[in-house]
Amino acid sequence: MAAAVMAITLPIAQPVSPAFAATYPTWDELQAAKANTVAAAQAVDQIVSLIGQLEANVETTRAEAERRTDELIAAQQRYDDAVRRADELQAQADAAALEADNARRNAGQVAAQLFRTGSNDLSVNLMFDAGDAAATDKLLSKLGSMDKMVERTSSIYEQAQAKVNSASSLGEQAEVARGEREALRIAA
């Protein structure tokens, strides 16, 4: 029996380990954790809201960029048209100036020829050739030729003057077109 008493008392006689209480958070710790969760959720909501605003800003900016790109393309087209118009007007002005120079040269040549053929004094010829029918016919023929030459010279001179005026006008138009081109270049 002694062994039986020993067997029962031996486990009791061994040192007993102390009992520890479980460590649970305090009420204040629970409230702080709860506040952190609410703050984190609010931060997430704020970030989601900011992302939405940024996406809206991106769309607005993209639309504005497309609008300005379209304006730039239109301005560039107007500039290119102005360059082409200025170049065409300058080419026309140059051609008209060349034609005016040629017409002036022709008028000068005709005037020189008229001077050479008309240098004889008409009254002296009439006095000396009076009564000579052949000489009178020759003189009248010469007068008719001179009259036609004067008409031709007048026509050539008028054409030359018209060409000079046209060249001047086209040059002024080309200058205006260059001014418009420069304004459009600056605007583009």
Side-chain angles (χ1 to χ4, degrees), residues 1-11:
M1 197 171 34
V5 172
M6 281 280 270
I8 294 180
T9 57
L10 189 55

Side-chain angles (χ1 to χ4, degrees), residues 97-112 156 160:
L98 182 64
E99 288 179 16
D101 288 343
N102 290 338
R104 264 191 240 131
R105 193 175 310 108
N106 286 343
Q109 289 171 349
V110 169
I156 290 173

Side-chain angles (χ1 to χ4, degrees), residues 22 86 107 111 184:
L184 289 172

Side-chain angles (χ1 to χ4, degrees), residues 133-148:
T136 305
D137 286 342
K138 187 175 179 184
L139 181 62
L140 289 175
S141 174
K142 192 174 189 182
L143 286 174
S145 295
M146 287 176 63
D147 185 47
K148 288 188 187 261

Side-chain angles (χ1 to χ4, degrees), residues 38 52 114:
V38 170
L114 181 62

